[in-house]
Amino acid sequence: MEAIKDAFYANRLDVLARPERFGAAFEVLALDGITVGDLVCGADVRVRCGELGCYHVNIPVGAPLAWHQASHPVQITAPGTAALFQPDGKTSVDHWTGEGRVIAIKFERSLLERRVEELTGRAVRGPILLDPALDLTQGRGRTWASLVGTLVEDLHQPMRLVEHPLVAAPLRDAILNGLLLSAQHRYRDELDRPAGGLRPAPVKRAMDAMRERPEHPFTTAELAAQARVGVRWLQEAFARYVGMPPMTYLRSVRLERAHADLCAADPRTTTVGDIAHRWGFGHLGRFAEQYRAKYGRVPSQSLREGPDGVPMHADLRTT
């Protein structure tokens, strides 16, 4: 359907039953990185979308929804539960009945992952694995569903309050933060107890700059200029809200990126030096020392053995 393609993803739709009743009706709103839709098809359909490239939530209303991603078995999500989709893996809504509506919420991958980085102070590598089901009948899930319901109700008003900039940005953040605090994932405990609390905007700007280009030879003065504050203010704010100086945080981000690359690289074609220089480490000896202090082994071990200590290639000798 072109409407789903325009607002959400390219797709192939198959009508499974009662094609004479097919009559799609969509209300859609974009909130700068989040897209919300109230969708009705009228007839039983199957929708195949391929890889989404975004995080996505489907909330069935009135009838269950059958779906799967990649090679995982089909799941049935009943009303009162939300289905949570990953960015990766071919995606199919296998059975969407004509009696049911679907509240669909698309989260741009960079938006959701950057928010986790802002709140935890740690670089996110790879997708955040959200639990595929979220109970909307109790606890935080119920509160989050009420927040989404308020937004969906406004979709059907002739003059949408949620489109006003004074409402749109805070509401977008509330929907995003609410999902991260309601769904199960590996960062959930950290978000419940954020180490630095709520960080001021200048600190977030400096952290964003370092996460976006950790290989860049930043100085504290350059970061302060990007954050639009003085050097002393930035240093004191990092000590208070991040727990370390800006340059120490930058080194931590670089080490995390280097660690991920070392664990994923092929040692037959990549060297420790290649990866160290890629992420801004100019002195291999200091890099190896800092890496060992953080990860408990030297970089060459990660390159040979990957993240689990198992040799990546059986035909390679370890030394």
Short mmCIF file of all heavy atoms in Angstrom, two decimals, residues 4 40 83 107 149 175 200 231 237 242 272 305-306:
data_model
loop_
_atom_site.label_atom_id
_atom_site.label_comp_id
_atom_site.label_asym_id
_atom_site.label_seq_id
_atom_site.Cartn_x
_atom_site.Cartn_y
_atom_site.Cartn_z
N ILE A 4 1.16 3.21 3.44
CA ILE A 4 2.11 2.65 4.40
C ILE A 4 3.54 2.89 3.92
O ILE A 4 4.43 3.22 4.70
CB ILE A 4 1.85 1.14 4.61
CG1 ILE A 4 0.52 0.94 5.33
CG2 ILE A 4 2.98 0.50 5.40
CD1 ILE A 4 0.19 -0.51 5.61
N VAL A 40 -6.37 1.16 9.71
CA VAL A 40 -7.45 0.18 9.54
C VAL A 40 -7.44 -0.31 8.10
O VAL A 40 -7.26 0.50 7.18
CB VAL A 40 -8.83 0.82 9.86
CG1 VAL A 40 -9.95 -0.18 9.60
CG2 VAL A 40 -8.87 1.31 11.30
N ALA A 83 3.50 -5.15 20.26
CA ALA A 83 4.54 -5.91 19.58
C ALA A 83 5.69 -4.97 19.25
O ALA A 83 5.47 -3.93 18.62
CB ALA A 83 3.99 -6.55 18.31
N PHE A 107 10.11 4.49 15.24
CA PHE A 107 11.16 5.28 15.88
C PHE A 107 12.41 5.20 15.01
O PHE A 107 12.93 4.10 14.79
CB PHE A 107 11.49 4.75 17.27
CG PHE A 107 10.35 4.82 18.26
CD1 PHE A 107 9.39 3.82 18.31
CD2 PHE A 107 10.24 5.89 19.13
CE1 PHE A 107 8.34 3.89 19.22
CE2 PHE A 107 9.20 5.97 20.04
CZ PHE A 107 8.24 4.97 20.08
N GLY A 149 -2.31 6.83 23.69
CA GLY A 149 -3.74 7.00 23.40
C GLY A 149 -4.15 8.45 23.29
O GLY A 149 -4.97 8.82 22.43
N ILE A 175 7.13 10.15 24.61
CA ILE A 175 6.84 8.86 23.99
C ILE A 175 8.12 8.03 23.89
O ILE A 175 8.14 6.82 24.19
CB ILE A 175 6.24 9.06 22.58
CG1 ILE A 175 4.87 9.76 22.66
CG2 ILE A 175 6.13 7.73 21.84
CD1 ILE A 175 3.78 8.92 23.25
N PRO A 200 22.73 18.77 31.57
CA PRO A 200 22.42 20.04 30.90
C PRO A 200 22.67 19.94 29.39
O PRO A 200 23.49 19.13 28.93
CB PRO A 200 23.38 21.03 31.56
CG PRO A 200 23.82 20.38 32.83
CD PRO A 200 23.77 18.91 32.58
N VAL A 231 35.39 26.83 28.79
CA VAL A 231 36.13 25.60 29.07
C VAL A 231 35.95 25.17 30.53
O VAL A 231 35.68 23.99 30.82
CB VAL A 231 37.63 25.78 28.74
CG1 VAL A 231 38.45 24.61 29.28
CG2 VAL A 231 37.83 25.92 27.24
N ALA A 237 31.07 20.78 34.63
CA ALA A 237 29.80 20.10 34.36
C ALA A 237 30.02 18.63 34.04
O ALA A 237 29.25 17.77 34.48
CB ALA A 237 29.08 20.79 33.20
N VAL A 242 28.79 13.68 34.40
CA VAL A 242 29.29 12.50 33.68
C VAL A 242 30.24 11.69 34.55
O VAL A 242 30.39 10.49 34.36
CB VAL A 242 29.98 12.91 32.35
CG1 VAL A 242 30.39 11.68 31.55
CG2 VAL A 242 29.05 13.79 31.52
N VAL A 272 45.83 -4.55 14.55
CA VAL A 272 45.48 -3.71 15.70
C VAL A 272 45.76 -2.25 15.38
O VAL A 272 44.97 -1.35 15.71
CB VAL A 272 46.27 -4.16 16.95
CG1 VAL A 272 46.10 -3.14 18.08
CG2 VAL A 272 45.81 -5.53 17.41
N GLU A 305 40.38 -13.53 18.86
CA GLU A 305 39.41 -14.40 19.50
C GLU A 305 37.99 -13.87 19.53
O GLU A 305 37.07 -14.60 19.91
CB GLU A 305 39.87 -14.70 20.93
CG GLU A 305 41.26 -15.36 20.99
CD GLU A 305 41.77 -15.49 22.42
OE1 GLU A 305 41.05 -15.06 23.34
OE2 GLU A 305 42.88 -16.00 22.59
N GLY A 306 37.77 -12.61 19.16
CA GLY A 306 36.42 -12.07 19.21
C GLY A 306 35.98 -11.80 20.64
O GLY A 306 36.76 -11.87 21.59
#
